[in-house]
Amino acid sequence: MKVNFFVTCLCDTVKAEVAKKTVMLLEQLGCEVIFPEQQGCCGQPSLNSGYIESSKPAMKNLIKAFECNDLPIVTPAGSCAASIKRYPEYLADEPEWAERAQHVADRLFELTQFIVNQLGTVNVGARLEGRAVYHPSCSLIRKLNVREEPLALLANVEGLEMLPIENQETCCGFGGTFSVKMADISAEMVKEKVHHISAVEPDYLIGADISCLVNIGGRISREGKPIKVLHIVDVLMSR
C-alpha cells in the first residue's frame, strides 16, 4: 500500500527519531511512504487559541499539499490529526474549501489507528523487556476515539508488561497553549499524573502524542524519576 506521511512540527523540530521510525515501521509493514514536500504546520496552536481566520492560510496549504494524490495520510500525532479532522468545520463558510478539507480529513489516520484498522495488524514483531504505563492522550481517546488500537499493539510486544494506574485517562495538563495560559493549573495536573505513574514503579512511560510526552517527561525529569519516556513507535521498532 502507498501512503502519505504527515510529519508534524513537533516531529520535525523536537522528535525527529519518531518521524524516522514511523517511516521505517510503515515500510516494514509493506507500505511505500510518500512525503508531500509542500506540507507544513496544520495550524493547531493558533486554532486551539481561537485564531481561526488567521489559521486558514496554513490549513489551505496543508489541504493543497495532500491533494497531490488520493492515498491514505498517516501521522504519528493524534493532536494534529484531530485538528485536521475539524478543518471542514473551520472552513464551513467557504463551501469549496470545506469539501476539499473533508476529502483530506477522510483519508487521515493516526499511526496506531492505521496499523490496526487499515493494515489489520496488531503484532509487528516488537520486543521490549520491562514494565510500562501507557498514557492515553485526550486527542486520541476524546477527539479521535482511538482507545483500543495502541493497547492492542502494546499487548503484543514480547516481554512488555503493561501496568494500570489510577485515573489513567485523566489529562496530563498540556493542552497546547493551555499549559502556557494556565500554567499553574497545568503544573498541578502533570504533577498528579506523574504521581500516579510513579506509584506503580514502571520502567517506561509510553504515549502516542509527542506533546503529552514532552510535558509528562519534563515533570518526570524534574522529579528525578528513573522512568524512560517513549513514543509508541519507539516501542514498536524495538527488537
Side-chain angles (χ1 to χ4, degrees), residues 14 45 86 100 135 212:
V14 179
R86 293 190 66 185
R100 293 167 68 176
H135 169 65
C212 295

Side-chain angles (χ1 to χ4, degrees), residues 94-237:
E94 300 180 63
E96 181 184 343
W97 277 106
E99 183 177 350
R100 293 167 68 176
Q102 189 65 60
H103 185 59
V104 169
D106 289 344
R107 295 186 288 126
L108 182 68
F109 300 92
E110 181 271 333
L111 178 62
T112 65
Q113 180 185 41
F114 181 76
I115 293 172
V116 174
N117 298 333
Q118 302 302 308
L119 297 183
T121 299
V122 292
N123 191 336
V124 300
R127 176 180 176 81
L128 181 65
E129 294 287 342
R131 293 152 44 92
V133 168
Y134 170 70
H135 169 65
S137 74
C138 295
S139 293
L140 261 72
I141 63 174
R142 294 180 174 88
K143 297 180 181 179
L144 295 176
N145 197 30
V146 176
R147 181 176 266 103
E148 300 302 326
E149 292 88 340
L151 296 175
L153 290 164
L154 292 172
N156 283 281
V157 176
E158 186 178 351
L160 189 64
E161 178 187 358
M162 300 304 300
L163 306 171
I165 63 169
E166 186 177 351
N167 297 334
Q168 188 127 17
E169 294 191 352
T170 299
C171 177
C172 73
F174 181 70
T177 53
F178 170 81
S179 62
V180 178
K181 295 179 178 178
M182 303 289 183
D184 291 343
I185 298 174
S186 174
E188 288 303 311
M189 292 172 73
V190 74
K191 180 180 177 181
E192 180 183 12
K193 174 65 69 171
V194 171
H195 171 73
H196 292 319
I197 293 169
S198 302
V200 299
E201 300 182 344
D203 301 299
Y204 310 105
L205 168 70
I206 302 169
D209 253 318
I210 292 173
S211 52
C212 295
L213 294 178
V214 169
N215 187 42
I216 302 171
R219 184 70 197 188
I220 287 174
S221 177
R222 286 191 292 276
E223 293 188 11
K225 305 290 186 183
I227 303 169
K228 188 171 183 179
V229 179
L230 299 173
H231 188 279
I232 193 168
V233 77
D234 294 320
V235 179
L236 300 180
M237 285 299 292

